[in-house]
Amino acid sequence: MIRRIFALLMIFNLTACAELQQVVDSLPQSEVLSNADIASGLRQALDQGIEKQVTKLTQTDGFFKNDLVKILLPEELQKVDKGLRDIGLGNLADEGLKVLNRAAEDAVKEATPIFVNAVKDITFDDAKNILLGDDNAATSYLTTKTQTELYNKFQPVINNSFSKVGADQIWNNLINKYNAIPFTNNVNPDLTDYVTQEALKGVYTMIAVEEKEIRNKVASRTTDLLKKVFALQD
């Protein structure tokens, strides 16, 4: 028991793969975790985040009614929203926001296969850095591995979604209404890139939420392997 307590305390000072392995090796034999176990535990944690949180974003209002990720207008268009509300067109402004979020919800359906492939590629070195990292280390790993590919997947889906859900027509109407307000400067934005970037932020935000839960709440570790692996960082 003394050896186990000592091993768990030492984890806070580890900075290299070999040192982490020494801690693992010092655990009682019945609780020894191999390098493969640790990597598998991190994969399970990421899979859990993808399954629980990313899936929520693909549902109707997954973005629109989630204050953590709801997509608002870019700064240069805030005046459009305010101008419409000032003249009693708040419903039109709300509809404009809703279709931006609908496009993101549609695009996120493309994310899961890309995440799954990235999770499969986790090595022990990756797992060591994630396990000993901060509360969003696993999310940062996924961001590095998937951001470019996800952008390339999201962008055409969002572009098509704008047409499918009528966002192009709604925004043309919305902006034309705004441009008709006296003493305003006309605007004509391309929102596809903006919404794509915001959708990506939303996905990583929700994965980070689940990662933090697993790291800080034992009850969120839903498998024996998760409990054993994350006990090393407690």
Side-chain angles (χ1 to χ4, degrees):
M1 184 65 180
I2 293 175
R3 293 174 62 201
R4 184 180 181 214
I5 292 172
F6 176 74
L8 293 177
L9 289 174
M10 283 291 292
I11 196 71
F12 293 101
N13 297 317
L14 297 181
T15 58
C17 175
E19 291 171 316
L20 177 60
Q21 190 59 54
Q22 287 174 6
V23 170
V24 173
D25 290 343
S26 71
L27 294 173
Q29 188 62 38
S30 61
E31 299 182 27
V32 165
L33 296 174
S34 67
N35 293 356
D37 288 333
I38 294 172
S40 293
L42 267 297
R43 292 188 194 104
Q44 283 189 11
L46 286 168
D47 284 339
Q48 182 170 310
I50 293 165
E51 181 179 354
K52 288 184 65 176
Q53 301 296 344
V54 177
T55 301
K56 291 179 183 177
L57 296 178
T58 68
Q59 300 169 2
T60 301
D61 289 330
F63 274 83
F64 189 65
K65 291 187 177 180
N66 183 340
D67 288 339
L68 285 177
V69 298
K70 182 178 181 179
I71 298 174
L72 304 176
L73 291 178
E75 184 176 353
E76 63 270 19
L77 284 182
Q78 293 292 332
K79 58 185 179 181
V80 177
D81 186 87
K82 184 178 185 301
L84 291 170
R85 295 182 193 280
D86 286 347
I87 62 172
L89 293 176
N91 288 340
L92 181 60
D94 287 339
E95 191 62 24
L97 287 178
K98 186 179 292 185
V99 294
L100 299 185
N101 286 272
R102 289 287 182 270
E105 290 156 12
D106 203 34
V108 172
K109 295 172 185 176
E110 300 288 325
T112 299
I114 295 171
F115 282 139
V116 168
N117 286 335
V119 171
K120 286 179 180 177
D121 290 339
I122 290 178
T123 65
F124 175 66
D125 283 343
D126 295 327
K128 175 261 300 183
N129 291 329
I130 292 169
L131 187 62
L132 301 181
D134 56 25
D135 278 353
N136 68 343
T139 305
S140 296
Y141 167 85
L142 270 189
T143 303
T144 300
K145 293 292 185 179
T146 65
Q147 191 168 32
T148 299
E149 187 175 2
L150 280 183
Y151 181 93
N152 291 336
K153 283 284 188 180
F154 280 18
Q155 198 271 348
V157 173
I158 286 172
N159 191 50
N160 291 335
S161 184
F162 278 165
S163 297
K164 184 178 73 175
V165 301
D168 49 353
Q169 296 177 359
I170 289 170
W171 272 97
N172 283 338
N173 184 29
L174 187 154
I175 291 171
N176 286 336
K177 291 280 189 182
Y178 174 80
N179 287 342
I181 299 173
F183 310 113
T184 59
N185 295 321
N186 289 356
V187 294
N188 184 26
D190 176 6
L191 292 176
T192 301
D193 176 71
Y194 171 76
V195 174
T196 301
Q197 297 285 2
E198 291 300 298
L200 287 172
K201 289 179 186 176
V203 167
Y204 297 125
T205 293
M206 295 312 297
I207 292 175
V209 166
E210 188 65 23
E211 178 182 359
K212 187 173 181 179
E213 286 281 308
I214 292 172
R215 286 184 182 275
N216 294 290
K217 295 183 180 179
V218 174
S220 296
R221 302 168 189 173
T222 57
T223 70
D224 288 340
L225 186 57
L226 282 177
K227 292 173 184 176
K228 290 177 182 179
V229 169
F230 280 93
L232 294 174
Q233 59 106 68
D234 286 343

